[in-house]
Amino acid sequence: MEPINALKAMKKLTSDYFTSAHMAPHNNKPVVYCNVFTPVELIYAMDMFPVYPENHAAIIGARKMATELSSAAEGMGYVMDLCSYARCDIGWTKARISPTWGLPKPDLILVINCQCGTLTKWFEVLSRLYGAPMVLIDVPHSGNGEEDPAAEIYVRRQLDGLIKTLERIAGKGLDESRFKEVIRLSKQASELWTQMLIMGENIPSPMTVFDQFISMFPIVSQRGTETAVEFYGNLVKELEERVKHKIPAVPNERFRLFWDNLPIWSELGRLSSFLADRGAAVVTSIYTWAWSQLAVNEQDPLADWTRQYLYTFNLNLGYRIERYVELAERYRLDGFLFHSNRSCKWISQDVISLRQAITERTGIPGVIFEADQNDPRLYSIENLEKQIDSFLELLSVKTNKV
Amino acid sequence: MTKSDPWLPFDEINQDPWSKIIAVKRTSGKKIIGHVLPDVPEELIYAAGAIPLALAGAGITISLAQAQIPTYSCSHAMGALELQLKGALDSLDGVIIPYVCDTTRNLYHLWRQLFPNVACEFLRLPKKLGDPDAKLYLGEEYLRISKWLTGITGQEINKDSLKASISVYSKSRDQLKLAYLKMQSSPSTWSAQRVISLFESSFRFPREEHLILMNNLPWDVDGGDTSDRAKIYVRGKVWDPPEITKLFDELGLTLVGDEIVTGFRSVMVNPIVNGDLFQSLVDRHMSTIPYTGYYVDPRKLVEDFVERTRSCGAQGVVFLNPKFCEAAAFDTPDMVNALKKNNIPNLVLETSSRGTSMSQIRLRLEAFKEILADDLP
Ligand code: SF4
Ligand code: SF4
């Protein structure tokens, strides 16, 4: 496998980010805890520093520290059935070990619940722990994504209120031209991210979702910065070259697969090699596509966010089925890997219906395996590999790709 | 128990609400609307000319549902799904599922996918309790749900029908409140098992008929031996495992308050009727004890909980936490710590209809009673 050079920048980029995060209080920058769909552009425009407990947890998982930190949270009374991101992050506050030297204390905790309800509860714990104020942007779930004018008013007013809260904490007003600039950069990053995802449509694919997972950090936490634009700009350029010269992410690409749900952070390297060794390229995932839809326009960003939160990120089964069917065609998929993720009930509880509907609609088979995004005690990697192996055998019979 | 036993009808309703409701439907000709707990306003269903029937998954043996939803889901959701899968809910004319957590949200989508012929609506409850914009939104949402109900029953919800409905439900709640007090003063006749059976059956039978049935109860019995009993406060979703109230009786534990959605929480607040009736239902919802998935200021959430346990004189608190319920499990550690700081003993029980051992629960409750006995005056 020929490694993607642009990804090497990630290490420095993350390290710089966490250094700046820890320096923020010393630089009089209020620290705001956010979740991945919060309008981070507002935070940057207000000259505040956004910090993501979810990212913190994912890094803990990737660095194989999840067992120790989850156990610490369990010692505090947080049961093992809770999302392992939350357990890892909360566990840090007790164990005081973390690959990012932990997180700086928050001045504000901001959460938007179109993602999952878990985050609200997790952030409530942090709010009590740090004595920090919390703002919840409450997004009613509009069932099947139908228009809900009353909800639009409700969400929009909360976003207006959020600006006032941020201005109060920052002690200054929102600078409109700075805000526009941040939005422009954010849109650019989002567009580059989308271009990168589309590269996976090529045969052979120049990158896999494992590369995408590794490169997610800036699109999550640095939307609206030059750093993100530069990083994805370089990445896209390199991928274009790889496409031109048909350099594959997986040598002898035999199968093209879809990854559903979050990655299994602690097994990223192992699974990536395991699949590559078998000629299986995981070329796309609903998870990484989420960030392609985050861009807003300068004219009325609050209106765009309102609609995104209500109708785009408010996942529903019907939407997911349509989307997966569309991606199956675009990426010429052979199979689906469904990660039934014990931690993330939000996007896992409908996995059985999802697989059935997709196979009925497309004829493409899928395998469901139960695991966890962070906590290796909740699954057996050997069993998981056996399941995937059997699935690939089935695929080779079905597709005649030996 | 004999046929003249006034408590019997309530137990019968709870034992098999599904066939009971078929009989009611046949005689009344009314539509039946199932609603997953908690917090679907029964008054609206009743005002639309239908009978609300609460769907609680606790105590249901799960078999079919395991093939449709991962086993790391709470018994409440799995049980409700099981009921529909095995046909127990075939006589329902519609189902409302409220948005209280990710699981009920997913349950709604599964319902639509698996039972496309069942009329099913999602009640989009806003999470911010007390927030003025959330109140406005909930008012609109109640209107939307009302229209859906009218579509099923053909009966408009108007001022008169809503007023009549609110009146029946308020009377029922007042009566249930009295029963709860009786349980504290006359526990040998008004046992927890019997009183909670009253509460639970009220969610599964036409309210006005339930009120009439309650008239037959021994309201004149007063007093009784309350010595050697310990006062407890319970937090949880439903009475799960269902035998838990019997255990409370056997071990001499008196309920002085609870936050169970089919318990005292359900009768604490009546709508204040003046002006906009929809808004009075909104206000009722907003001032009811926050269910675990809702949002209030995080510190206040814990402080208010401790204050509620103190103000009713509880000597100890029992948590009935449904296994795999994230919301409850996130709240518990800080609540436990706050109780400890206030010297209020507590016991956390994790409940599930898949694998809860009653003998284990009994042992733990016995030990808890011992701890409380040390505190008895
Ligand atoms: S439940 Fe899922 S979406 Fe929510 S924090 Fe955990 S992993 Fe993220
Ligand atoms: S709030 Fe808890 S018990 Fe109720 S449905 Fe959700 S997960 Fe289950």
Side-chain angles (χ1 to χ4, degrees), chain A residues 30-48:
Chain A
V31 170
V32 183
Y33 280 16
C34 304
N35 64 300
V36 294
F37 292 151
T38 41
V40 64
E41 294 82 353
L42 271 173
I43 311 297
Y44 278 118
M46 290 298 301
D47 219 11
M48 295 170 146

Side-chain angles (χ1 to χ4, degrees), chain A residues 81 128 136 138 148 340, chain B residues 72 124 127 137 323 334:
Chain A
D81 300 321
R128 284 189 292 266
L136 166 70
D138 180 25
D148 185 344
S340 175
Chain B
Y72 47 81
R124 307 164 192 173
K127 295 295 171 62
Y137 178 70
K323 186 156 174 66
D334 282 339

Side-chain angles (χ1 to χ4, degrees), chain B residues 99-313:
Chain B
Y99 182 24
V100 289
C101 65
D102 298 334
T103 299
T104 59
R105 169 173 165 168
N106 284 327
L107 187 65
Y108 167 70
H109 291 296
L110 285 176
W111 218 279
R112 300 246 323 172
Q113 182 75 12
L114 295 170
F115 320 112
N117 299 324
V118 176
C120 181
E121 248 306 340
F122 192 56
L123 175 65
R124 307 164 192 173
L125 293 172
K127 295 295 171 62
K128 285 173 149 176
L129 288 187
D131 178 272
D133 289 328
K135 282 187 184 180
L136 287 176
Y137 178 70
L138 186 58
E140 293 294 327
E141 184 55 9
Y142 281 174
L143 280 173
R144 193 184 67 84
I145 285 286
S146 298
K147 283 189 194 131
W148 178 80
L149 285 165
T150 299
I152 289 181
T153 63
Q155 189 174 315
E156 290 262 354
I157 299 179
N158 57 35
K159 206 171 172 192
D160 291 339
S161 66
L162 194 49
K163 207 169 176 181
S165 171
I166 289 176
S167 162
V168 168
Y169 276 84
S170 298
K171 266 188 214 143
S172 165
R173 289 193 191 106
D174 288 344
Q175 202 66 10
L176 288 165
K177 258 185 243 169
L178 285 180
Y180 205 86
L181 291 176
K182 281 272 181 200
M183 174 178 68
Q184 291 162 11
S185 61
S186 315
S188 41
T189 305
W190 292 80
S191 63
Q193 192 184 6
R194 284 171 165 170
V195 171
I196 295 307
S197 175
L198 287 185
F199 273 69
E200 291 194 308
S201 54
S202 74
F203 283 89
R204 295 164 163 171
F205 206 59
R207 279 284 171 140
E208 68 282 26
E209 291 178 38
H210 191 267
L211 259 169
I212 296 168
L213 285 175
M214 279 204 283
N215 285 337
N216 302 330
L217 294 173
W219 294 100
D220 48 350
V221 170
D222 209 7
D225 187 12
T226 54
S227 61
D228 194 31
R229 294 186 71 90
K231 296 172 179 174
I232 57 162
Y233 188 92
V234 177
R235 179 176 163 93
K237 177 158 188 160
V238 287
W239 301 99
D240 184 19
E243 303 83 2
I244 193 85
T245 51
K246 188 165 174 240
L247 263 186
F248 292 159
D249 290 329
E250 285 173 7
L251 299 177
L253 297 167
T254 297
L255 281 169
V256 289
D258 70 74
E259 304 189 354
I260 302 287
V261 299
T262 50
F264 197 64
R265 176 187 184 271
S266 68
V267 299
M268 282 178 88
V269 187
N270 272 331
I272 298 168
V273 179
N274 52 8
D276 185 342
L277 296 174
F278 278 93
Q279 208 48 51
S280 65
L281 288 177
V282 169
D283 290 339
R284 172 177 187 269
H285 175 79
M286 293 283 173
S287 49
T288 298
I289 290 175
Y291 181 64
T292 182
Y294 303 150
Y295 180 77
V296 290
D297 175 81
R299 265 199 283 183
K300 210 167 139 29
L301 176 83
V302 172
E303 285 163 10
D304 289 355
F305 167 69
V306 175
E307 187 45 41
R308 288 194 293 275
T309 64
R310 268 158 43 133
S311 63
C312 64

Side-chain angles (χ1 to χ4, degrees), chain A residues 54 83-86 115-119 122 262 341 343-347 373, chain B residues 102 326:
Chain A
E54 288 161 279
C83 169
S84 52
Y85 271 6
Q115 194 178 334
C116 66
T118 298
L119 271 156
W122 165 12
L262 274 75
N341 182 355
S343 266
C344 191
K345 296 172 183 70
W346 171 54
I347 43 171
Q373 74 221 12
Chain B
D102 298 334
E326 296 238 334

Side-chain angles (χ1 to χ4, degrees), chain A residues 2-63:
Chain A
E2 206 168 305
I4 301 170
N5 283 320
L7 291 181
K8 290 185 187 144
M10 275 303 299
K11 204 170 173 186
K12 179 163 184 327
L13 196 143
T14 348
S15 151
D16 286 353
Y17 168 88
F18 281 105
T19 307
S20 306
H22 287 286
M23 288 308 291
H26 307 284
N27 294 331
N28 288 326
K29 274 182 185 260
V31 170
V32 183
Y33 280 16
C34 304
N35 64 300
V36 294
F37 292 151
T38 41
V40 64
E41 294 82 353
L42 271 173
I43 311 297
Y44 278 118
M46 290 298 301
D47 219 11
M48 295 170 146
F49 202 96
V51 163
Y52 291 78
E54 288 161 279
N55 272 351
H56 182 217
I59 295 173
I60 288 170
R63 300 279 175 87

